[in-house]
Amino acid sequence: MIFYGINIRVKGSLSLLFIFLNLLCNSQTFQNLVPNGSFESYSICPSFDSEIYQAVPWTGPIGNSTDYYNACSNVVNVPHYAGISSVYPYNLNAKHGQAYAGLFLYKQAEYREYLQVKLNDTLIQNVCYYMEFYATSYQATKYNSNNAAISLSNYSTTIIPNTHTLINFIPHVSAFGNPIIKDTINWQRIAGLYSANGNETYLTIGNFYDDANTDTVNMYPPG
């Protein structure tokens, strides 16, 4: 069985994603194909927003705007989180270790953020892979949404910075029933199986549906 760990915080209208990836189905051998799956390793401790690239080799396909949080930082690393005394937004603790990532799952007009990484090896055709991730919602977001998902592909994608447009990938693993993620305290486990085509080398996380096909709930109607 192979296990990949990815701690991901999804901030988006803001759902937080904590992601763990992969147990190889029907196998007794663990193999981790996701590099730096829990975001614990970094080149430089984050001190501002949009620094997911510090958690090498992770990137944010849209101008690297995806956030990276790590307890190694002793400063508030996002200006609009004024008054927060921890590098973790609203003192949200990591599911494992001391780090996670934050990205927008939903914002009107197809505004999206994503996480992307190249796997340590190409997936094997017709082999069944188990994927697991954890998600929680950011406490101060106006909208919570569904569609937190993992997509596997044979190529990476780069979107023009500041456009934050939708990436048209096929979602391969999402929550059973695809509910809106509302919990702001506990990390929700999301898991599924994937039968590989045999050429997948990249993993991307986010919301791959447009606004019309994304369910939301307004957590702060007056806001």
Side-chain angles (χ1 to χ4, degrees):
M1 307 178 100
I2 68 181
F3 180 83
Y4 308 94
I6 306 171
N7 288 309
I8 298 167
R9 152 156 147 132
V10 182
K11 151 186 132 194
S13 58
L14 199 68
S15 284
L16 268 195
L17 260 174
F18 221 94
I19 298 186
F20 289 91
L21 236 277
N22 276 338
L23 281 137
L24 190 53
C25 303
N26 302 319
S27 171
Q28 299 302 312
T29 303
F30 284 95
Q31 183 184 4
N32 190 350
L33 298 183
V34 179
N36 196 18
S38 62
F39 305 110
E40 298 302 306
S41 299
Y42 55 87
S43 55
I44 298 175
C45 187
S47 60
F48 203 70
D49 58 355
S50 305
E51 291 192 344
I52 188 57
Y53 55 87
Q54 303 290 10
V56 180
W58 288 92
T59 63
I62 303 176
N64 270 325
S65 64
T66 301
D67 299 329
Y68 174 45
Y69 302 100
N70 193 305
C72 64
S73 177
N74 59 4
V75 299
V76 176
N77 64 340
V78 184
H80 50 272
Y81 295 156
I84 300 172
S85 61
S86 170
V87 67
Y88 293 151
Y90 287 82
N91 295 305
L92 173 69
N93 291 322
K95 174 66 176 176
H96 295 289
Q98 62 176 19
Y100 48 74
L103 56 125
F104 279 96
L105 282 184
Y106 166 84
K107 189 176 181 181
Q108 293 166 323
E110 263 70 65
Y111 185 105
R112 302 287 188 271
E113 289 181 337
Y114 297 89
L115 276 162
Q116 192 169 85
V117 72
K118 185 176 182 179
L119 300 175
N120 289 328
D121 202 354
T122 303
L123 300 191
I124 302 170
Q125 185 177 18
N126 297 326
V127 167
C128 176
Y129 293 83
Y130 171 81
M131 302 184 211
E132 178 182 283
F133 63 92
Y134 289 81
T136 185
S137 179
Y138 180 49
Q139 294 181 12
T141 185
K142 180 174 181 179
Y143 294 101
N144 284 356
S145 73
N146 64 345
N147 291 342
I150 296 173
S151 179
L152 295 161
S153 62
N154 62 351
Y155 63 94
S156 62
T157 183
T158 300
I159 305 299
I160 299 173
N162 301 319
T163 58
H164 293 90
T165 190
L166 180 72
I167 292 180
N168 191 26
F169 278 1
I170 297 173
H172 293 122
V173 171
S174 59
F176 179 75
N178 196 18
I180 293 173
I181 300 173
K182 301 178 182 179
D183 199 326
T184 61
I185 299 174
N186 303 299
W187 293 93
Q188 175 183 334
R189 177 179 175 271
I190 302 171
L193 301 177
Y194 173 70
S195 180
N197 293 321
N199 57 3
E200 298 90 336
T201 54
Y202 287 89
L203 176 146
T204 306
I205 297 159
N207 178 4
F208 305 100
Y209 291 98
D210 60 17
D211 289 355
N213 291 289
T214 298
D215 292 334
T216 63
V217 59
N218 189 342
M219 304 299 290
Y220 300 97

